[in-house]
Amino acid sequence: FSLKELHGIFQWLVESIFGSLDGIIVGWNLRCLQGRTNPNEYSVALDFLDPSGPMMKLVYKLQAEEYRYDFPVSYLPGPVKASIQEQVLPECSLYHNKVQFPSSGGLGLNLALNPFEYYMFYFAISLITQKNSPATHHVSPSNSAYFILVDTYLKCFLPTEGSVLPPPSSNPGGAIPSPTPRSPAVPFSSYGMHHTSLLKRHIAHQPSVNADPASQEIWRSETLLQIFVEMWLHHYSLEMYQKMQSPHVKLEVLHYRLSISSKHHGSPAQSSYQALHAYQESFKPTEEHVLVVRLLVKHLHAFSNSLKPEPLSPSAHSHTASPLEEFKRVVIPRFVQEKLYIFLQHCFGHWPLDASFRAVLEMWLSYLQPWRYAPEKPPQSTEPLPRSVPEKWASFIQENLLMYTKLFVGFLNRALRTDLVSPKNALMVFRVAKVFAQPNLAEMILKGEQLFLEPELVIPHRQHRLFMSPTLGGSFLSSRSPAVTDASFKVKSHVYSLEGQDFQYKQMFGAEVRNLVLKLAQLICQAQQTAKSISDHSAETMASQSFFSWFRFTPSEMNGSYTGNDLDEIGQDSIKKTDEYLEKALEYLCQIFKLSEAQLTQMMMKCGTAQDENGKKQLPDCIASENGLILTPLGRYQIINGLRRFELQYQGDTELQPIRSYENAALVRLLFRLSSVLNQRFADQMEVLCSRDDFVGRLCRYHLTNPQLVQKIRYSPVVRDRTSHNWGPRISLRFLASYRTLLSLLMIYFLASWFYVGPVGCTFIILTGYFLYAVIMTFFFEGWKPHEH
């Protein structure tokens, strides 16, 4: 094919592979393509889209001819789309000199991209647009062709060893200068101060991009990373983004908008208003999206940690450092930190309170531990002691202080609203506590907080300075003298650039957060007790479900209570894991926040460890009032999360409770009429017999009264006057309507027939046996089941 023909089919080919931007065309569906299920298609796709494969060769061939392809602005992330539509250019250099205004009759704004950018835009955004794939939930995201390609592109264009491989073409330096706007109708303002890219700074003295292959190397690396970060992380509100800007930039944007509004008599203001609502669509990242971002974070840590040691002479560094080495130095703080922080904040605040949050949690913990991806190996030790965080990472912790402190507080607020009896939720608390309990980490975080809280010294050469992030005009390469920016200034610059000048910092080791930790520790203790109660209840249930339990004539279901729990099905092994996770998490929290034994003891007392006579059942936290028990906020939380419960039971006359599914309706009604006749006929005689103090009186009280009724009502938040109701002695034959009772009697009569015992004789044996059982129970009745008058 000729270049002109290839240029004509390039857009169609890219869309056929990655799908259309509106999601209608699925394309090759790389997110669901796995080697285990489709080995042939899987290998063909990876070979075709490999960095040295046919598709990338086509990209480089077209790029050498300066072709441009339009990418609709309407499919960009919400904040970027809204800002461009209201004619405010984002600070990312990826969008500079690329916005194309529609010609007469055209629809919408477009970005004019070169082939490499166009290909990577489609590749990156397909993770967001192709959300409704029919088989996505049946595959493992980490084994998909898309996930493998992301890893391959990162290793190729952001190598941890060596340099970026040159393009597989005859013209390795085929970089194309950024296109200029065709017909800009209105000049663009910018969110932040325009900053030049690493590429432009490096080759400012060169007459041509093609003259230096190293420049092409850094251009592809920087472009790839910017596209990935913009497409995957730039999804938050425009107002939150504006909050991070320095005050003079906010003023510049305000003046620009006022001038435009006065020129056009309010019409652009209306369009800006509409554009500002475009970004407010709720963004819900998928678990697969988070896993891909975690892969990016892990690789960037390894990429940054592969930086060669600095030479002793700064002058030697300025002449010998390659663009790739400089890129490694600034890749995380300049390109990733800001957007990842707000992306994590969005996930922490909007992700459902379920076990799927584990993906977000692991991405966060991966970013917090760059030392895990350092090239040096930890020293081998015979004892499995936790590895101490090296002191050289103190600057990273200080310059990412909010990642550690504010997001930790966000996790505490989530943990306080989750069911910690669930093993998956307990594991998440354990993982966070284990990471923050690494030796020397808490001390480094505390040191960072102290640096931030230091009073600002009035130094003449600093009075005019603003706290700005590198992305808003500061350069990590322009000045590297420690005398200019001390540690305190770096920490404050980090915090104010992310949260704004009016941010009220909440100390991680302050009193407020410490109280949250104590509440979490209290919930951990409650969850441990609940897990133990569930374990004991499950063991008792299994023991009671024996063959001989079928022959009990008074089924426990008649009291109408429900003591089960949805967590009964998790099994003894899961309960054991939950207890282990929570125990270790509590231990780590004590190490991090220096909780004493006295505090733990006091917390255990507040935990509501007082149990009832059975040693298991606990009421939700309540306040006694004249109208009964009133739930406290803690009690509501305990009920919602299944930590405690009231026994659900029928509070009225047991003879009048609704007919159960295990009862025969006709027999229930017939036996009720018979019981009512007997109770009316012999009421006075039964009252006299039950009032006697001899053996006959005790025997009658055991059979004709229900002394457990008031004891059971105690566990329900009903009004007090109902607990004092006395039903009196009476005969109840309803138990004979139970299918279980009828089946038990049928089995007994069937077994008796084998021994040639007739129905009359069998009935006599049953009555005699039950009479002996009643006599024996009567001797112990007054001792362990006291009658309540």
Side-chain angles (χ1 to χ4, degrees):
F1 294 96
S2 64
L3 278 177
K4 187 174 182 180
E5 291 174 327
L6 294 175
H7 167 64
I9 67 170
F10 180 69
Q11 290 178 285
W12 168 84
L13 180 60
V14 171
E15 190 173 89
S16 300
I17 296 173
F18 302 121
S20 58
L21 296 175
D22 54 12
I24 297 177
I25 301 176
V26 178
W28 290 6
N29 203 7
L30 297 174
R31 293 169 53 196
C32 300
L33 189 60
Q34 294 198 333
R36 181 172 51 85
T37 56
N38 304 97
N40 295 331
E41 294 87 344
Y42 178 81
S43 59
V44 169
L46 292 184
D47 292 340
F48 185 76
L49 301 177
D50 189 80
S52 59
M55 189 65 189
M56 291 303 295
K57 290 180 181 178
L58 172 61
V59 168
Y60 293 129
K61 185 179 292 187
L62 294 173
Q63 186 170 326
E65 298 299 323
E66 300 190 14
Y67 285 117
R68 294 291 182 270
Y69 302 95
D70 289 340
F71 187 93
V73 170
S74 58
Y75 289 104
L76 292 175
V80 179
K81 176 179 65 176
S83 63
I84 292 179
Q85 288 177 344
E86 66 169 326
Q87 300 173 349
V88 178
L89 191 66
E91 98 286 352
C92 179
S93 61
L94 185 66
Y95 306 106
H96 293 179
N97 300 325
K98 291 184 174 65
V99 179
Q100 301 294 318
F101 288 87
S103 57
S104 57
L107 297 176
L109 298 170
N110 294 304
L111 296 180
L113 306 176
N114 63 44
F116 182 82
E117 294 169 335
Y118 187 81
Y119 173 83
M120 286 301 172
F121 260 80
Y122 260 86
F123 174 76
I125 207 168
S126 63
L127 179 66
I128 311 298
T129 57
Q130 302 292 331
K131 282 189 176 181
N132 298 323
S133 301
T136 301
H137 58 280
H138 296 298
V139 299
S140 173
S142 59
N143 295 327
S144 66
Y146 187 88
F147 195 88
I148 300 301
L149 280 173
V150 172
D151 187 46
T152 303
Y153 289 153
L154 289 175
K155 290 178 179 178
C156 176
F157 296 106
L158 301 172
T160 56
E161 297 180 359
S163 59
V164 182
L165 295 177
S169 65
S170 59
N171 183 16
I176 304 301
S178 299
T180 55
R182 296 172 186 165
S183 56
V186 181
F188 270 71
S189 179
S190 172
Y191 274 126
M193 297 167 60
H194 286 279
H195 63 278
T196 58
S197 68
L198 288 171
L199 169 66
K200 292 180 181 178
R201 287 203 302 271
H202 182 73
I203 63 172
H205 64 282
Q206 299 176 354
S208 171
V209 175
N210 298 338
D212 187 3
S215 301
Q216 171 67 10
E217 163 194 330
I218 188 64
W219 180 87
R220 287 185 296 157
S221 301
E222 184 175 355
T223 300
L224 175 84
L225 179 60
Q226 284 184 325
I227 292 174
F228 282 1
V229 170
E230 287 295 310
M231 296 301 106
W232 296 341
L233 298 181
H234 202 157
H235 294 274
Y236 42 82
S237 69
L238 188 63
E239 291 170 350
M240 180 178 291
Y241 187 79
Q242 289 175 335
K243 185 186 70 173
M244 300 183 299
Q245 311 307 309
S246 55
H248 72 278
V249 175
K250 290 182 181 179
L251 188 61
E252 176 189 346
V253 175
L254 178 62
H255 286 168
Y256 164 76
R257 290 177 178 173
L258 291 176
S259 63
I260 294 296
S261 177
S262 60
K263 284 182 181 180
H264 298 272
H265 306 285
S267 58
Q270 178 65 22
S271 63
S272 297
Y273 176 81
Q274 295 173 352
L276 281 172
H277 281 271
Y279 73 90
Q280 293 180 354
E281 300 174 0
S282 58
F283 175 68
K284 299 177 182 178
T286 62
E287 188 173 351
E288 180 187 8
H289 181 177
V290 173
L291 290 175
V292 173
V293 174
R294 187 191 179 206
L295 175 65
L296 174 65
V297 169
K298 292 167 65 176
H299 184 84
L300 289 179
H301 274 319
F303 177 70
S304 179
N305 290 337
S306 66
L307 178 67
K308 297 176 182 178
E310 293 187 18
L312 296 178
S313 172
S315 60
H317 170 81
S318 61
H319 290 87
T320 61
S322 68
L324 187 62
E325 293 298 307
E326 296 288 359
F327 188 51
K328 292 178 181 180
R329 191 183 312 279
V330 303
V331 62
I332 290 180
R334 176 175 172 186
F335 292 94
V336 179
Q337 182 195 71
E338 181 180 70
K339 293 182 175 64
L340 180 63
Y341 169 71
I342 303 181
F343 180 80
L344 283 170
Q345 269 198 316
H346 178 84
C347 292
F348 273 58
H350 297 82
W351 201 278
L353 292 172
D354 56 20
S356 65
F357 185 72
R358 174 78 185 278
V360 179
L361 187 78
E362 293 298 336
M363 175 182 64
W364 173 49
L365 296 181
S366 295
Y367 184 84
L368 297 187
Q369 303 177 87
W371 47 88
R372 291 184 56 191
Y373 312 99
E376 65 269 11
K377 299 295 182 182
Q380 297 295 329
S381 176
T382 56
E383 299 181 1
L385 296 176
R387 182 187 176 190
S388 177
V389 179
E391 194 65 32
K392 71 174 186 176
W393 296 106
S395 59
F396 177 87
I397 295 172
Q398 293 167 8
E399 294 171 9
N400 291 271
L401 185 64
L402 292 177
M403 287 283 194
Y404 291 89
T405 58
K406 187 174 181 181
L407 292 183
F408 179 81
V409 175
F411 174 77
L412 285 180
N413 291 325
R414 286 186 62 92
L416 290 172
R417 293 178 289 161
T418 55
D419 179 13
L420 299 183
V421 182
S422 170
K424 294 180 180 179
N425 291 335
L427 175 59
M428 287 192 284
V429 176
F430 163 75
R431 287 283 296 124
V432 173
K434 182 180 180 182
V435 168
F436 278 85
Q438 293 178 85
N440 204 30
L441 178 57
E443 290 76 7
M444 289 182 179
I445 297 175
L446 180 59
K447 176 63 176 176
E449 290 193 322
Q450 293 172 349
L451 289 172
F452 174 74
L453 296 174
E454 281 185 3
E456 183 67 16
L457 300 176
V458 181
I459 301 178
H461 74 275
R462 276 197 188 177
Q463 291 180 0
H464 65 282
R465 296 180 62 182
L466 289 171
F467 292 109
M468 296 171 57
S469 69
T471 56
L472 301 179
S475 172
F476 282 86
L477 306 178
S478 59
S479 176
R480 301 175 59 192
S481 174
V484 178
T485 56
D486 57 9
S488 176
F489 182 78
K490 286 183 178 180
V491 176
K492 294 179 180 182
S493 174
H494 155 71
V495 173
Y496 291 139
S497 65
L498 292 182
E499 291 291 346
Q501 299 280 351
D502 55 349
F503 175 61
Q504 298 296 324
Y505 182 75
K506 184 183 297 183
Q507 299 181 53
M508 177 175 169
F509 296 96
E512 186 176 351
V513 177
R514 191 179 182 86
N515 290 334
L516 291 178
V517 173
L518 290 174
K519 289 182 180 179
L520 178 60
Q522 181 177 347
L523 288 180
I524 289 176
C525 295
Q526 291 178 349
Q528 286 178 305
Q529 294 174 5
T530 304
K532 185 178 183 301
S533 299
I534 294 172
S535 178
D536 295 342
H537 173 75
S538 300
E540 288 183 0
T541 303
M542 294 177 62
S544 64
Q545 290 177 348
S546 61
F547 176 80
F548 294 100
S549 65
W550 282 83
F551 297 95
R552 295 177 60 186
F553 289 95
T554 308
S556 59
E557 291 88 347
M558 293 299 295
N559 59 14
S561 65
Y562 170 75
T563 59
N565 191 298
D566 294 337
L567 298 171
D568 292 343
E569 301 177 359
I570 64 179
Q572 294 294 325
D573 293 339
S574 297
I575 293 176
K576 184 178 180 181
K577 287 183 180 179
T578 298
D579 189 64
E580 292 176 357
Y581 291 147
L582 294 178
E583 184 177 358
K584 293 298 292 183
L586 187 59
E587 177 183 340
Y588 288 139
L589 289 175
C590 292
Q591 294 177 12
I592 299 169
F593 293 92
K594 305 295 188 295
L595 302 181
S596 62
E597 291 293 334
Q599 288 176 312
L600 287 179
T601 304
Q602 183 181 7
M603 177 191 60
M604 293 290 290
M605 296 298 295
K606 291 181 179 179
C607 199
T609 56
Q611 300 174 336
D612 64 355
E613 291 79 357
N614 294 328
K616 297 166 192 158
K617 300 174 183 176
Q618 300 179 30
L619 290 177
D621 193 61
C622 301
I623 299 176
S625 68
E626 59 181 6
N627 296 324
L629 301 178
I630 299 178
L631 281 173
T632 64
L634 176 60
R636 296 189 188 95
Y637 167 83
Q638 292 168 340
I639 291 179
I640 291 173
N641 291 278
L643 299 177
R644 295 185 185 180
R645 66 174 69 244
F646 293 105
E647 283 193 35
L648 303 179
Q649 58 184 6
Y650 182 75
Q651 298 289 341
D653 189 349
T654 55
E655 293 296 301
L656 298 177
Q657 62 181 311
I659 298 174
R660 308 300 179 86
S661 60
Y662 54 80
E663 293 178 322
N664 183 282
L667 279 178
V668 169
R669 297 186 178 95
L670 178 62
L671 293 173
F672 173 73
R673 294 192 185 97
L674 179 58
S675 301
S676 300
V677 171
L678 294 176
N679 290 328
Q680 292 176 0
R681 179 73 180 272
F682 302 105
D684 296 336
Q685 291 87 335
M686 288 189 293
E687 188 70 33
V688 172
L689 289 174
C690 290
S691 62
R692 295 175 55 172
D693 295 331
D694 54 5
F695 177 80
V696 176
R698 295 202 304 271
L699 182 65
C700 292
R701 285 194 297 270
Y702 180 79
H703 290 86
L704 301 178
T705 60
N706 188 8
Q708 295 87 10
L709 182 60
V710 177
Q711 181 75 9
K712 291 173 182 176
I713 291 177
R714 185 172 68 87
Y715 291 101
S716 183
V718 295
V719 293
R720 295 184 177 181
D721 56 351
R722 294 183 62 180
T723 62
S724 61
H725 188 86
N726 186 8
W727 301 107
R730 57 182 175 174
I731 298 173
S732 177
L733 301 176
R734 182 167 174 169
F735 72 94
L736 294 173
S738 170
Y739 289 119
R740 191 172 79 169
T741 303
L742 295 175
L743 180 60
S744 300
L745 291 173
L746 182 61
M747 291 178 63
I748 293 175
Y749 282 114
F750 179 74
L751 291 175
S753 65
W754 285 8
F755 298 97
Y756 304 101
V757 179
V760 178
C762 185
T763 303
F764 178 77
I765 293 174
I766 293 175
L767 294 176
T768 303
Y770 182 74
F771 179 77
L772 293 176
Y773 168 79
V775 170
I776 294 173
M777 294 300 297
T778 302
F779 282 108
F780 301 97
F781 177 74
E782 294 290 334
W784 62 279
K785 284 188 176 180
H787 176 63
E788 298 184 14
H789 295 282

